[in-house]
Amino acid sequence: MKKKRILLKVGSNTLTKETDNISRGKIEDIAHQIAQLQDRYEFIIVSSGAIAVAKQFVKLESQREELFVKQALASIGQPHLIRIYQEIFREYGLLSSQCLLSYSDFEKQESKTNIVNTINVLVNNNYVPIINENDTVATDEIKFGDNDKLGALTASLLDVDLFIIATNTNGIYTKASFEINKPETISEVVDFDALKTEVVNSKSSHGTGGMASKIEAAALAKHANIETWIVNGLEDHFILNAIENKVPFTKIK
């Protein structure tokens, strides 16, 4: 049986459980779920969190603009983040690897072919590739939104079966319900253009994304005929529960 391929995009807010520290418990939750699903699914992860990890260890002094400081923090945090993933995944019998990509890689055919070939070798050998933007050379995630777009481009390039965006809400809420503070999830999106009018733009506290960047990412995936799920990653077992339809989340087909 051919395994279905899932690209899971995890934002900083999910990985920190909306605190100031990376949550090892959340990475354990992800590892535990992947271990349970690995007979049926193969996983590729696009993970934010490098800057959040670095902030736990250092406070950088600099007269330079904030962007350079963030890039320097990403450089400090990246190896720490991957080490945490590797340690925890190993406890669950999972192998993981690091792939750093930048947006310019998606503009060159040669780079795109190399990404596909490398990731296919990793996945076929039971490694879970953990992808992040190469923040020390590229500033797009820092400027353009919590890896949502990187996740969508990677999902399209690798021709995945499902693109899951883990965020801090139960999917996309209707604007009317959000305004009266009783958020109701839009469970399935049929009319994509109508969806844009429902977006309540709230930025996340650590990340740089917000719902608008997630919908933009879903549009990129949709263009490649990939279904997107926007799921509440703060909940335990969020992937399993979404697959078994036990929780409210948004499906964009």
Side-chain angles (χ1 to χ4, degrees):
M1 186 181 89
K2 190 177 181 294
K3 290 184 185 180
K4 284 195 159 178
R5 181 174 282 193
I6 292 178
L7 188 131
L8 170 66
K9 184 263 155 180
V10 192
S12 307
N13 259 31
T14 302
L15 280 184
T16 58
K17 284 188 155 178
E18 300 192 306
T19 66
D20 288 332
N21 295 323
I22 287 289
S23 161
R24 292 182 77 95
K26 181 42 66 184
I27 295 180
E28 281 172 11
D29 177 45
I30 292 168
H32 177 64
Q33 295 178 85
I34 291 176
Q36 282 188 275
L37 291 164
Q38 63 182 343
D39 294 342
R40 289 180 288 151
Y41 298 94
E42 52 192 33
F43 281 85
I44 295 148
I45 296 175
V46 169
S47 177
S48 302
I51 293 172
V53 175
K55 283 178 177 169
Q56 290 171 224
F57 298 106
V58 291
K59 186 159 177 31
L60 290 186
E61 297 301 321
S62 175
Q63 302 307 307
R64 293 182 179 277
E65 65 173 287
E66 193 191 9
L67 183 65
F68 297 130
V69 175
K70 282 187 169 174
Q71 284 182 284
L73 283 169
S75 161
I76 294 164
Q78 194 66 45
H80 283 294
L81 180 66
I82 288 296
R83 193 195 72 237
I84 297 166
Y85 267 111
Q86 286 193 315
E87 281 172 6
I88 291 171
F89 274 38
R90 200 179 300 128
E91 287 167 21
Y92 286 87
L94 299 170
L95 300 163
S96 53
S97 71
Q98 177 184 34
C99 302
L100 291 174
L101 301 179
S102 51
Y103 282 100
S104 58
D105 295 329
F106 291 90
E107 287 158 14
K108 301 193 276 281
Q109 191 50 52
E110 191 185 356
S111 308
K112 290 200 309 196
T113 306
N114 292 342
I115 293 166
V116 171
N117 292 339
T118 304
I119 287 179
N120 283 339
V121 170
L122 288 164
V123 170
N124 292 340
N125 284 279
N126 297 318
Y127 274 78
V128 178
I130 296 167
I131 295 168
N132 198 337
E133 189 179 349
N134 193 354
D135 286 321
T136 44
V137 292
T139 56
D140 290 351
E141 182 213 344
I142 295 172
K143 289 194 300 208
F144 291 132
D146 214 27
N147 273 336
D148 294 320
K149 186 178 170 191
L150 184 69
L153 289 170
T154 310
S156 307
L157 184 61
L158 298 170
D159 198 22
V160 304
D161 296 289
L162 180 60
F163 175 34
I164 297 179
I165 301 178
T167 185
N168 56 348
T169 59
N170 298 333
I172 304 168
Y173 299 137
T174 64
K175 204 170 200 169
S177 70
F178 193 81
E179 281 163 0
I180 57 164
N181 220 3
K182 288 185 181 164
E184 260 173 55
T185 300
I186 300 168
S187 56
E188 200 164 303
V189 173
V190 189
D191 181 348
F192 201 81
D193 292 324
L195 178 67
K196 291 177 183 156
T197 63
E198 293 287 357
V199 178
V200 182
N201 210 355
S202 55
K203 286 273 189 206
S204 52
S205 55
H206 274 283
T208 43
M211 207 38 86
S213 83
K214 289 170 182 45
I215 287 172
E216 225 169 277
L220 283 171
K222 186 180 166 66
H223 187 66
N225 292 318
I226 294 166
E227 188 170 319
T228 301
W229 293 2
I230 299 178
V231 179
N232 191 338
L234 298 176
E235 302 290 334
D236 287 341
H237 320 303
F238 65 96
I239 308 166
L240 287 164
N241 286 341
I243 288 171
E244 290 166 12
N245 249 321
K246 289 183 177 171
V247 287
F249 68 98
T250 301
K251 267 184 198 183
I252 301 169
K253 292 189 166 172

